[in-house]
Amino acid sequence: MLNRRKFLTAAGLGASSMALTGCDVFDNQLRIGAPLRSFLENANDLTLHAQHLLAGRDSLAQEFTEADIRQPMRPNGVTAPNDEFYKGLMAKDFADWRLEVGGLVEKPLTLTRDQILAMPSRTQITRHDCVEGWSCIAKWTGTPLALVLDQAVAKPEARYVVFHCLDTIDRSLSGEIKYYGSIDLIDARHPQTILAYGLNGKPLPVENGAPLRVRVERQLGYKMPKYIHKIELVSSFSSIGGGRGGYWEDYGYDWYGGI
Amino acid sequence: MSATLRSTEIAELDPLEKGPLVYRQSAWTRLTHWLWAISLLFLLLSGLQIFNARPQLYIGLESGFTYDNTILRIGAVDTQDGPRGFTEIFGKRFDTTGVLGWSGPAGQERQRAFPSWLTVPSYYDLGTGRVIHFFFAWLLSATLVVWLVASLLNGHFKRDLAPRASDLRKLPRDVADHLRLKFHHTRDYNVLQKLAYAGVLFVLLPLMILTGLTMSPSMNSVLPFLPDLFGGRQTARTIHFVVMLLLVVFFFVHMAMILAAGPLNELRSIITGWYRTDPPGPSAPNTKRGA
């Protein structure tokens, strides 16, 4: 009893002194890799498992009507890649662009834009939710990723789909950092997960990720890379980039972005 | 001395005319109270961190970029006197330099919706804010479930919180007593206390959890009626913010009441469970429930 009382009093005093002196007392404990931070991050796995359990494989994100599209899709992140290679592709209207599908697949693919356009498509009016807090409704058209995965035939050990992008989002001592991201095979095979090439009835604009970006409608915007040129199936993403599964994840965002 | 007394009967004989010491709060109530206190503190500080990423609130399904559905915005503008912070509510702008919009140590001020002393981490870090927020959101929700089950089983809910017919009759008197800062120390909560606690536990916290879940795109696929119920994801985000303000108001009233009613006695009851009631007498209200 006394010990708990002491503990609670200490906790209360600690909390109130923190409120008085500012909130920097935990800063060092919250950096990536710090034990406290790693402990708190377990909540993201709990969220992932709880939401997978509740949502199942195929629960659909809300779809809206044409009347709900009230504005152009707000572009975010990189909106005009400054990479020479990308600018070269753009100058020829992406005629030379190819989508590579590789990694843990039986049949690696190289698809042209026309080949992707010739595949069955899905059009959906959905709400894009940015991790920052804003939302924007737009109509997306694209090829279900499941169809591409069916063609390539995932090997049994494949667990994640990694999207490699053409845009440089950052620079480090070791060179340019291109945007990348990853999702699991459950979301990759979700009926609304499409490789989008159309936005609001027109070809996907550069600012929104031309020629191809992914839509993962049950997750937040940072999980939907733009300017995709390579899809890689892996069993683990620990050796890619910073090892946390995506550009923003390497900076501390949770890998699972369903909340 | 008297803290060692465990029997109301003996305590009633206290020559110092203190009222009996009664066992008021069960271990479940005390434990969940402190888990909520810690959770809500960190949810607030990390929530303000998250808000800083988009310091703007909207009404509707989405955020208007080419049309205006903003009801609150915190930001900074350059003026002839240097940068100034502002808070805009329903289109009406207030200068809030130093606290909202533009703040920081002298010489290091920067654009920031909520100041660093109100966010965790203190520096801008949306990703970490979210890690903290969701950890404590789980803790808060789990604590709420544990408390609900315990309170139904141990009678706390029925005995202490559920409103009775007599509560309505006592309400005007209770309001008048609170306004005169006249507090009765009894085993039972007074009517306003019941309303405040039940309001937080059965209205504000569930509303907070539901509007929080409404912002989750994955949960939208499971419970699509939630965004419809709240009038869209962005309205839900606005409600989440407003309920936060109500919880902050509750916290300050809660603190004021504790200070006014006798902080040591109140703190003892939520730490050890034991509470000193008013001495029995003709003027004192009933200190014991009818047995």
Side-chain angles (χ1 to χ4, degrees), chain A residues 4-5 23 27 31 37 47 51 59-60 71 74 127 129 132-137 218 256 258-259, chain B residues 30 54 62-63 65-67 117 119 122-123 128 130 138 216-221 227 233-234 271-272:
Chain A
R4 187 171 62 201
R5 184 198 304 190
C23 291
D27 285 359
R31 312 220 186 245
R37 164 68 178 252
T47 306
Q51 294 199 341
S59 73
L60 294 181
Q71 57 189 349
R74 179 187 163 85
R127 193 192 61 224
D129 296 327
E132 294 171 353
W134 55 266
S135 309
C136 193
I137 292 172
R218 297 189 299 184
Y256 177 63
I259 189 165
Chain B
R30 288 176 276 138
R54 189 84 203 162
E62 61 170 4
S63 314
F65 294 104
T66 59
Y67 63 95
W117 53 271
T119 66
S122 64
Y123 49 87
T128 305
R130 284 166 49 83
W138 274 108
S216 154
S218 178
M219 288 312 293
N220 280 182
S221 74
R233 180 181 194 256
Q234 288 301 320
I271 293 173
T272 70

Side-chain angles (χ1 to χ4, degrees), chain B residues 31-198:
Chain B
L31 180 68
T32 52
H33 170 273
W34 289 110
L35 286 174
W36 283 322
I38 293 167
S39 301
L40 285 169
L41 174 69
F42 284 102
L43 281 163
L44 172 68
L45 302 175
S46 59
L48 298 179
Q49 167 76 256
I50 295 169
F51 176 87
N52 274 3
R54 189 84 203 162
Q56 209 165 339
L57 295 176
Y58 315 84
I59 294 292
L61 305 177
E62 61 170 4
S63 314
F65 294 104
T66 59
Y67 63 95
D68 189 13
N69 63 345
T70 297
I71 62 156
L72 178 136
R73 184 202 326 259
I74 300 176
V77 278
D78 267 324
T79 69
Q80 287 168 337
D81 312 324
R84 308 289 297 174
F86 70 82
T87 301
E88 206 176 274
I89 304 169
F90 293 110
K92 199 163 167 32
R93 193 172 273 215
F94 305 91
D95 189 321
T96 49
T97 308
V99 185
L100 302 178
W102 185 262
S103 63
Q108 295 172 53
E109 297 93 342
R110 59 183 61 204
Q111 184 165 352
R112 230 171 175 283
F114 284 97
S116 66
W117 53 271
L118 272 178
T119 66
V120 52
S122 64
Y123 49 87
Y124 175 74
D125 184 344
L126 171 61
T128 305
R130 284 166 49 83
V131 167
I132 299 165
H133 204 71
F134 299 136
F135 177 88
F136 285 103
W138 274 108
L139 184 60
L140 177 94
S141 308
T143 305
L144 200 59
V145 171
V146 167
W147 173 84
L148 190 65
V149 171
S151 299
L152 287 173
L153 293 180
N154 68 18
H156 176 50
F157 174 71
K158 196 162 169 245
R159 186 180 60 235
D160 303 322
L161 286 172
R164 297 195 190 100
S166 60
D167 285 337
L168 200 63
R169 206 176 57 238
K170 290 185 202 151
L171 185 62
R173 173 71 186 273
D174 198 34
V175 172
D177 284 347
H178 273 85
L179 288 175
R180 285 179 291 154
L181 294 180
K182 191 176 157 198
F183 296 99
H184 307 293
H185 302 85
T186 65
R187 159 73 185 71
D188 295 340
Y189 294 150
N190 62 54
V191 191
L192 288 180
Q193 256 180 311
K194 276 190 187 183
L195 288 175
Y197 298 159

Side-chain angles (χ1 to χ4, degrees), chain A residues 19-70:
Chain A
L20 289 174
T21 60
C23 291
D24 54 355
V25 292
F26 295 106
D27 285 359
N28 284 326
Q29 281 301 308
L30 290 170
R31 312 220 186 245
I32 295 172
L36 176 64
R37 164 68 178 252
S38 304
F39 175 68
L40 297 178
E41 280 177 354
N42 287 325
N44 189 243
D45 286 334
L46 189 57
T47 306
L48 165 70
H49 291 120
Q51 294 199 341
H52 269 182
L53 193 70
L54 290 170
R57 292 180 170 269
D58 293 336
S59 73
L60 294 181
Q62 276 188 301
E63 295 197 15
F64 299 85
T65 64
E66 296 275 354
D68 294 319
I69 306 173
R70 297 180 61 189

Side-chain angles (χ1 to χ4, degrees), chain A residues 118-166:
Chain A
M119 290 174 73
S121 74
R122 191 181 199 282
T123 294
Q124 57 205 29
I125 300 174
T126 52
R127 193 192 61 224
H128 179 98
D129 296 327
C130 179
V131 64
E132 294 171 353
W134 55 266
S135 309
C136 193
I137 292 172
K139 180 164 77 174
W140 302 92
T141 302
T143 305
L145 177 56
L147 296 181
V148 175
L149 296 180
D150 285 345
Q151 272 192 34
V153 190
K155 289 185 177 172
E157 61 267 38
R159 287 187 62 199
Y160 304 102
V161 176
V162 181
F163 303 99
H164 296 276
C165 306
L166 292 165

Side-chain angles (χ1 to χ4, degrees), chain A:
Chain A
M1 190 70 115
L2 204 63
N3 282 339
R4 187 171 62 201
R5 184 198 304 190
K6 270 185 183 164
F7 166 76
L8 289 173
T9 310
L13 285 174
S16 48
S17 67
M18 185 191 72
L20 289 174
T21 60
C23 291
D24 54 355
V25 292
F26 295 106
D27 285 359
N28 284 326
Q29 281 301 308
L30 290 170
R31 312 220 186 245
I32 295 172
L36 176 64
R37 164 68 178 252
S38 304
F39 175 68
L40 297 178
E41 280 177 354
N42 287 325
N44 189 243
D45 286 334
L46 189 57
T47 306
L48 165 70
H49 291 120
Q51 294 199 341
H52 269 182
L53 193 70
L54 290 170
R57 292 180 170 269
D58 293 336
S59 73
L60 294 181
Q62 276 188 301
E63 295 197 15
F64 299 85
T65 64
E66 296 275 354
D68 294 319
I69 306 173
R70 297 180 61 189
Q71 57 189 349
M73 178 62 202
R74 179 187 163 85
N76 200 33
V78 172
T79 53
N82 200 26
D83 305 75
E84 290 308 321
F85 182 66
Y86 180 85
K87 288 196 280 191
L89 293 172
M90 192 173 71
K92 291 195 196 165
D93 197 23
F94 303 106
D96 297 335
W97 171 87
R98 296 288 181 275
L99 177 69
E100 271 183 60
V101 184
L104 298 173
V105 294
E106 303 290 354
K107 296 181 212 163
L109 307 172
T110 303
L111 300 170
T112 66
R113 207 181 173 201
D114 287 342
Q115 283 174 310
I116 292 172
L117 286 169
M119 290 174 73
S121 74
R122 191 181 199 282
T123 294
Q124 57 205 29
I125 300 174
T126 52
R127 193 192 61 224
H128 179 98
D129 296 327
C130 179
V131 64
E132 294 171 353
W134 55 266
S135 309
C136 193
I137 292 172
K139 180 164 77 174
W140 302 92
T141 302
T143 305
L145 177 56
L147 296 181
V148 175
L149 296 180
D150 285 345
Q151 272 192 34
V153 190
K155 289 185 177 172
E157 61 267 38
R159 287 187 62 199
Y160 304 102
V161 176
V162 181
F163 303 99
H164 296 276
C165 306
L166 292 165
D167 57 313
T168 296
I169 185 156
D170 214 343
R171 269 163 223 285
S172 71
L173 290 176
S174 48
E176 295 173 338
I177 298 175
K178 308 267 191 199
Y179 197 91
Y180 79 103
S182 61
I183 56 176
D184 61 21
L185 281 173
I186 293 174
D187 266 323
R189 292 195 159 276
H190 185 261
Q192 287 168 319
T193 298
I194 58 174
L195 297 171
Y197 45 73
L199 172 58
N200 289 337
K202 297 200 176 96
L204 185 66
V206 166
E207 56 188 14
N208 298 104
L212 201 70
R213 65 111 30 107
V214 66
R215 298 292 311 164
V216 186
E217 302 291 0
R218 297 189 299 184
Q219 296 210 43
L220 297 171
Y222 71 93
K223 298 300 292 185
M224 308 186 210
K226 311 193 283 187
Y227 317 111
I228 296 171
H229 76 116
K230 198 166 133 192
I231 293 176
E232 185 187 6
L233 275 71
V234 298
S235 59
S236 157
F237 44 69
S238 59
S239 60
I240 302 170
R244 293 172 56 100
Y247 169 75
W248 283 112
E249 288 88 333
D250 290 339
Y251 278 94
Y253 280 32
D254 282 321
W255 177 78
Y256 177 63
I259 189 165

